[in-house]
């Protein structure tokens, strides 16, 4: 409880475990001690997005994002914030940001970025590109990617492929 990085890490673990209120408390405590701590800002932004408060998430992340170079986690969170908005140009910007960071790499953070890329492409109606991004995200072990690609296949006139994927 003394160390902001420890609180942020515990908060992110609780977020993954679905303990939203406990995660929020840990992340807020970390931000109280270290207001610019990136892992805490990112975790808190994901909570804001889950609560439907994209504006608050944007306030946390946008000032820290730079086209010149931001971490994979920060870029992915900012892309998710852009996707949550209604402006198609923001969604296109999110695609460009994510395509830059996922090119030729594979890791857990890249898997999350691939998943977000697939979601933005799906929202833009680019189902072929979304399928490819979902497949890449699934290779990183993402269960969310596997479920979402199955649902996309069903929606995109391949119910048998979707069922096989979900099975």
């Amino acid at each position: 409880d003394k160390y902001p990085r420890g609180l942020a890490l515990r908060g992110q673990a609780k977020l993954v475990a679905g303990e939203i209120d406990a995660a929020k408390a840990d992340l807020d405590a970390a931000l109280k001690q270290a207001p610019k701590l990136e892992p805490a800002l990112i975790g808190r932004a994901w909570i804001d997005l889950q609560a439907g408060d994209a504006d608050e998430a944007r306030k946390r992340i946008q000032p820290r994002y730079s086209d010149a170079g931001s971490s994979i986690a920060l870029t992915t969170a900012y892309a998710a914030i852009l996707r949550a908005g209604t402006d198609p140009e923001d969604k296109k910007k999110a695609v460009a940001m994510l395509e830059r960071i996922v090119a030729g790499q594979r890791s857990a953070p890249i898997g999350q970025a691939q998943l977000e890329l697939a979601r933005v492409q799906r929202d833009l109606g680019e189902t072929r590109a979304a399928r490819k991004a979902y497949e890449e995200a699934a290779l990183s072990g993402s269960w969310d990617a596997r479920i979402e690609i199955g649902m996309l296949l069903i929606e995109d006139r391949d119910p048998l492929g979707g069922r096989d994927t979900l099975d």
Side-chain angles (χ1 to χ4, degrees):
D1 288 339
K2 293 184 207 177
Y3 304 104
R5 285 196 180 279
L7 284 165
L9 182 59
R10 186 171 71 187
Q12 287 181 344
K14 288 178 179 178
L15 180 60
V16 170
E19 299 173 24
I20 305 301
D21 292 335
K24 186 176 179 180
D26 281 346
L27 293 166
D28 286 344
L31 288 170
K32 186 175 180 181
Q33 292 179 32
K36 295 182 180 182
L37 183 62
E38 187 173 292
L41 287 168
I42 292 168
R44 198 58 179 81
W46 283 113
I47 291 173
D48 293 337
L49 282 172
Q50 286 180 2
D53 195 352
D55 291 335
E56 188 62 31
R58 186 182 291 253
K59 287 179 198 174
R60 292 179 197 281
I61 300 299
Q62 189 173 23
R64 306 262 316 158
Y65 177 75
S66 168
D67 283 331
S70 292
S71 70
I72 294 167
L74 186 77
T75 302
T76 303
Y78 188 48
I81 291 163
L82 294 176
R83 181 176 66 86
T86 58
D87 184 0
E89 291 304 312
D90 278 351
K91 293 178 192 307
K92 290 176 184 174
K93 181 179 177 183
V95 168
M97 291 166 37
L98 291 166
E99 284 178 337
R100 249 189 341 261
I101 64 171
V102 301
Q105 300 181 47
R106 194 168 280 147
S107 67
I110 293 294
Q112 181 65 35
Q114 283 282 8
L115 178 58
E116 192 56 40
L117 176 60
R119 289 171 174 165
V120 177
Q121 290 170 327
R122 178 199 62 213
D123 290 355
L124 289 170
E126 300 171 6
T127 55
R128 182 168 289 172
R131 278 178 156 185
K132 184 177 180 195
Y134 275 127
E135 289 169 3
E136 288 294 321
L139 289 175
S140 72
S142 170
W143 286 102
D144 289 337
R146 292 176 185 180
I147 291 169
E148 290 181 32
I149 194 172
M151 299 304 293
L152 178 67
L153 290 170
I154 291 168
E155 293 168 7
D156 194 34
R157 298 176 304 277
D158 186 5
L160 295 177
R163 181 178 177 189
D164 287 345
T165 300
L166 293 172
D167 284 347

